[in-house]
Amino acid sequence: MSPRTGRTSKHASRRAGPPPARHGWRFPWTLDGSATIEPAEARLLRRFTFAVAALLGIALLAMVFGPHRIGDYFTETDFYGGYAEGARLIQHGHLDPSRYGVVGPGYELVLALWGSVIRDLFLAAELISVLSTAATVLLLESLVSRRAGARVGFFAALIYATNPWVFRFGYIASTDAFSIMLQVLSLGLVLGGRGRGRTIAAGLTAAAAFLTRYNAIYLLPAGILACWLEGRERNRTGHDAAGAPSPDDRAKVDAPSATRGSGWMLQALTFLIAFLAPIVPWLLFCLANGSRLSFQLYHNIAFEVYARHQGMVWDDYQKKLQPQFHSLWDVVRRDPVQFTLRMVLNVFDHLRLDATHLLGWPATIAALLGIVLALTSGAFSAALPVIAAGALLFLSLVPTFYAERYSMALLPVYSMLAGLFFGLPRFAFALKSRPIWLKSVLIAFPVAVALYESVLVEREAVRLLPVEVLEQARVLRALARPGDRLIARKPHLAFHTGLPSVAFPFTETIPALADYAHRNHVRWLFISWPEVETRPRYWHLLDTTAAMPGLIPRHVTRPHPSVLYEVGPEFGRLPAWYSNDTLMTLHSARAQLLVLPTDVKALFEYALAMRAEGQYDSAGRYADAALAIKPHYISALLISGEMALRRNDAARATEAFTTAMNAHPSNIDAKVGLGWALLISGRVDEAARVWHKVADRTIDPTTLQRMIQVFSRVGDQEALGHAEAMLDSLRTASRGGP
């Protein structure tokens, strides 16, 4: 029996003879605090893992054939804009090396293969993710069970399977689930036991993972390090860290140290050769086709260091900074100090975000306790190769911006650490009346929290799905003619209509956009929130009440706002309202409220436009709507109070201006407005006291005239003098005097 895992090897069982007879029957899953894991318990835990994977797969399929009718505007844009096209090219015998500057061809090859059976590439991509996610649960359980025992393996698989981000990316059309499955499979093969076949398979799988996601290059040093760690453990004990001796281990223990030390080097060399076996032909193929394996991930690093923390979005980075960088060295030498500082800060920031966003605090605490238990119980050496692989993966993610989808590849390692806490026998107090660990019951807490978070994540993800594209696609397919072209910020509509797409340009005026459309022979222009949020000068195009010559609205969707325009020859001529700032504000704010009905700035700007148009009731309603979200928004308070004064609603005006004055004591307009509200309420003395402080700073002639009347009535000579002097200066200025 392995002292670390409590598992009995087949060789030891042969030597020990038949097991002793048992008296009576007891439940095979005892969890009674014993380090021994009986075969019946291991089999039961394995069945439980299969059940968890099956339930997860069923839930993911329910999303595939349920609400997930279209990919999102975030992660799945890569599918619509790249993977689907690449798979189609491969199906037609074209493999273009220049396409693979950020990710390798591995995923597209698999997608093309599945697409030859399932004609709908989007559905094929979803099913690849579902099967990969379910398989990862089983592979993780197998890997961890071999290293630390069946209990730890089951708990690790359960933590992983219930993580909200595993579910989120477990059915969408992306490389994430497939890539993680390859990474766990490679680690499982290299750490699952000795044998040339397993090592070759591990190297080939690591290469496939690298050709799917380039940062999986960490598997190469991780695999070599694992060979060394396992070789060192075998040299020390005659067993690998999982406790399984090979047939000739006993002989190798007695062999000279030089002979014993060469075993891991041969295994590592085999792994390296297997890894390079598909990589070298791919490099030669790239060179033969006039291309080379170009890693353009340095743009992600440049964006993280020089753009994101300065408030710059990706589109602005592409327009302003991207042309400056042609290699990683360009990124470093632009500002070596800033680059180094950002890398150091990212180490801590990524750890923090992994704990709070990726894992959640319950699972994070379990993982930290799992490390402590592994160190104090002697199980750490068995977990070390997996932890080392996780550390290398973490370092590969540090240079770029944080995203749960990238860090999700660390979840198998984090889940194993949490599984160590729940599955190791140390501090596993058992009930006397029932053979159950009290510690194992605690897993209900992180699982329940994860499931609750998963519901929230999925609810938001489904809400943001661009289902309007499917409606627009049905209309466009009926209206389109052969040769038509489409401008859209995202490639979704082009995919679902089969029309060639033209990228949305980095223009800022209607004439420039029109010129681009005419030069590219574009007949259709699609406007939805990605178009206007990334090109804010075009917000007004989402509001079809703003007529634009040459743009004919063919279909409008609500509540997910979008407009399908047909581009006519007059597009480019500006309408009469375009130079009116009030009307431009009105149409832009109205469009913003279609996308974000609770946008405080848009509500206030719409209130301003309504006031300018003389629609005072509407202006008041929108100002009050802004205040319902941000109660101390000074500009909205002033508009709300002013509109209340126009309605002779003294109570509402007093409330608005009092709130404004309390929140912003130095604001003159708040005090002037409050004085008016008190005055129309008949509270003349109070109005005089409020106006006394601003008599020499008010520049509105009407207000100054009323101030003079009020100060004369209450006998405030000081304030009266200030008001009269201010009014005289305004009159002098209006006559052009000195």
Side-chain angles (χ1 to χ4, degrees):
M1 184 180 70
S2 168
R4 296 171 180 82
T5 66
R7 300 178 68 187
T8 305
S9 73
K10 60 182 179 180
H11 307 283
S13 63
R14 291 194 191 107
R15 291 192 297 270
R22 292 186 179 181
H23 302 284
W25 181 91
R26 63 191 181 99
F27 188 68
W29 188 16
T30 60
L31 291 182
D32 58 0
S34 170
T36 303
I37 301 176
E38 297 183 1
E41 180 185 344
R43 287 194 298 271
L44 185 62
L45 289 171
R46 183 67 171 169
R47 293 190 189 107
F48 284 169
T49 305
F50 270 97
V52 169
L55 289 173
L56 176 61
I58 292 170
L60 294 173
L61 288 174
M63 294 297 297
V64 169
F65 295 105
H68 193 244
R69 296 175 290 153
I70 186 171
D72 62 41
Y73 271 151
F74 306 101
T75 304
E76 290 172 288
T77 293
D78 292 336
F79 167 82
Y80 288 109
Y83 305 144
E85 179 186 359
R88 289 196 185 104
L89 289 173
I90 292 171
Q91 288 176 336
H92 290 88
H94 301 290
L95 184 60
D96 182 6
S98 65
R99 290 177 45 82
Y100 305 106
V102 178
V103 295
Y107 180 76
E108 291 182 2
L109 287 167
V110 174
L111 182 59
L113 180 63
W114 278 66
S116 63
V117 179
I118 303 171
R119 296 299 180 182
D120 184 346
L121 284 178
F122 182 67
L123 176 60
E126 291 176 296
L127 294 179
I128 290 172
S129 294
V130 170
L131 291 178
S132 297
T133 302
T136 301
V137 174
L138 300 177
L139 291 170
L140 177 63
E141 188 274 340
S142 177
L143 167 63
V144 177
S145 293
R146 286 177 176 272
R147 310 300 302 174
R151 293 169 186 161
V152 178
F154 169 71
F155 288 127
L158 184 60
I159 290 288
Y160 181 84
T162 55
N163 184 275
W165 299 107
V166 170
F167 192 88
R168 172 73 188 96
F169 293 97
Y171 61 86
I172 68 175
S174 74
T175 62
D176 301 281
F178 179 67
S179 173
I180 293 173
M181 185 269 292
L182 290 176
Q183 294 174 47
V184 175
L185 176 58
S186 178
L187 288 174
L189 287 169
V190 78
L191 292 173
R194 302 190 65 190
R196 186 174 302 171
R198 294 183 66 93
T199 304
I200 292 173
L204 292 173
T205 307
F210 167 71
L211 290 176
T212 300
R213 294 279 283 270
Y214 286 148
N215 78 303
I217 188 66
Y218 81 90
L219 288 171
L220 180 58
I224 294 173
L225 180 61
C227 294
W228 175 69
L229 290 172
E230 293 293 89
R232 186 183 66 171
E233 186 70 13
R234 282 191 297 268
N235 290 340
R236 187 174 67 85
T237 65
H239 297 72
D240 59 25
S246 63
D248 56 348
D249 272 335
R250 293 177 63 190
K252 288 188 176 182
V253 171
D254 298 329
S257 60
T259 304
R260 287 188 277 118
S262 64
W264 77 265
M265 287 187 279
L266 179 61
Q267 185 184 10
L269 181 61
T270 303
F271 178 82
L272 174 62
I273 293 173
F275 179 86
L276 294 176
I279 304 297
V280 172
W282 170 245
L283 289 173
L284 295 176
F285 175 77
C286 292
L287 294 173
N289 285 272
S291 183
R292 61 188 178 89
L293 193 62
S294 175
F295 299 104
Q296 297 179 13
L297 292 174
Y298 57 83
H299 285 304
N300 287 348
I301 302 174
F303 174 73
E304 169 70 0
V305 177
Y306 303 116
R308 188 175 72 88
H309 292 277
Q310 285 70 41
M312 187 179 295
V313 297
W314 180 256
D315 281 52
D316 289 341
Y317 165 79
Q318 288 183 306
K319 180 182 179 181
K320 299 174 183 178
L321 293 182
Q322 183 168 300
Q324 303 176 22
F325 303 110
H326 305 284
S327 67
L328 179 60
W329 174 238
D330 289 343
V331 179
V332 176
R333 71 179 179 179
R334 176 186 172 95
D335 191 334
V337 174
Q338 183 178 351
F339 176 85
T340 303
L341 180 61
R342 175 46 52 195
M343 295 302 101
V344 173
L345 291 176
N346 272 12
V347 171
F348 300 99
D349 198 39
H350 281 220
L351 284 173
R352 176 183 64 84
L353 292 171
D354 280 348
T356 58
H357 288 60
L358 184 69
L359 266 180
W361 282 117
T364 297
I365 294 171
L368 293 174
L369 293 174
I371 295 175
V372 174
L373 290 189
L375 287 170
T376 57
S377 65
F380 189 77
S381 61
L384 182 58
V386 182
I387 296 174
L392 292 171
L393 172 57
F394 177 84
L395 291 176
S396 76
L397 298 172
V398 163
T400 190
F401 56 89
Y402 184 86
E404 288 86 2
R405 66 170 297 207
Y406 298 149
S407 290
M408 195 175 71
L410 287 163
L411 275 174
V413 180
Y414 290 147
S415 298
M416 182 195 71
L417 297 178
L420 288 170
F421 169 70
F422 293 109
L424 289 177
R426 196 173 182 84
F427 303 122
F429 302 105
L431 294 173
K432 293 182 178 180
S433 58
R434 295 176 181 271
I436 298 176
W437 282 359
L438 292 179
K439 186 174 69 171
S440 67
V441 177
L442 295 177
I443 199 170
F445 183 58
V447 167
V449 170
L451 292 176
Y452 174 75
E453 291 293 331
S454 187
V455 170
L456 299 182
V457 169
E458 290 309 309
R459 183 180 297 167
E460 181 67 7
V462 171
R463 186 184 70 83
L464 292 176
L465 286 177
V467 292
E468 68 274 10
V469 171
L470 297 176
E471 184 178 337
Q472 295 282 18
R474 288 192 293 270
V475 174
L476 186 53
R477 282 195 298 266
L479 296 174
R481 298 192 297 259
D484 282 0
R485 308 183 82 189
L486 165 73
I487 288 180
R489 174 66 181 82
K490 297 288 186 176
H492 296 53
L493 185 58
F495 176 87
H496 287 282
T497 58
L499 292 181
S501 178
V502 178
F504 207 109
F506 289 106
T507 56
E508 295 186 351
T509 65
I510 289 296
L513 177 60
D515 178 66
Y516 177 85
H518 294 319
R519 283 189 289 106
N520 286 277
H521 309 289
V522 170
R523 185 187 173 199
W524 302 101
L525 173 65
F526 179 62
I527 299 293
S528 61
W529 70 262
E531 283 75 18
V532 292
E533 282 205 343
T534 57
R535 309 289 190 273
R537 294 296 182 90
Y538 299 129
W539 266 108
H540 57 83
L541 290 178
L542 199 55
D543 177 20
T544 53
T545 65
M548 181 64 61
L551 285 185
I552 307 167
R554 291 303 187 190
H555 192 65
V556 179
T557 62
R558 298 289 186 271
H560 292 263
S562 70
V563 185
L564 178 65
Y565 286 107
E566 184 175 359
V567 178
E570 291 187 347
F571 183 39
R573 181 169 62 85
L574 296 178
W577 63 265
Y578 206 79
S579 59
N580 187 309
D581 290 342
T582 297
L583 292 178
M584 177 61 77
T585 299
L586 186 149
H587 293 306
S588 297
R590 181 182 289 161
Q592 292 176 55
L593 293 175
L594 290 174
V595 177
L596 293 172
T598 59
D599 187 297
V600 173
K601 185 174 182 292
L603 287 167
F604 168 68
E605 290 181 346
Y606 197 74
L608 280 180
M610 289 290 98
R611 182 184 69 171
E613 290 290 293
Q615 299 184 36
Y616 302 126
D617 289 343
S618 294
R621 284 198 304 272
Y622 280 94
D624 289 342
L627 292 173
I629 302 167
K630 190 176 180 181
H632 294 143
Y633 187 13
I634 181 63
S635 299
L637 284 167
L638 296 177
I639 291 290
S640 178
E642 180 186 343
M643 296 305 100
L645 287 176
R646 290 183 179 274
R647 300 191 306 269
N648 287 319
D649 186 349
R652 173 57 191 151
T654 301
E655 179 187 359
F657 288 124
T658 300
T659 303
M661 194 174 70
N662 291 337
H664 306 272
S666 62
N667 189 278
I668 297 173
D669 292 332
K671 295 175 181 177
V672 170
L674 179 58
W676 276 109
L678 294 170
L679 189 62
I680 65 175
S681 300
R683 299 154 66 180
V684 179
D685 291 341
E686 293 180 56
R689 284 196 295 272
V690 172
W691 275 351
H692 178 91
K693 302 175 183 178
V694 293
D696 58 346
R697 290 183 287 172
T698 303
I699 59 174
D700 176 48
T702 302
T703 301
L704 286 169
Q705 290 172 357
R706 183 56 63 89
M707 282 181 172
I708 291 171
Q709 296 173 6
V710 170
F711 295 145
S712 298
R713 179 175 173 179
V714 301
D716 188 343
Q717 297 302 317
E718 179 185 359
L720 176 61
H722 289 316
E724 289 176 338
M726 182 61 70
L727 184 59
D728 288 342
S729 66
L730 291 175
R731 288 171 176 170
T732 301
S734 66
R735 292 194 299 265

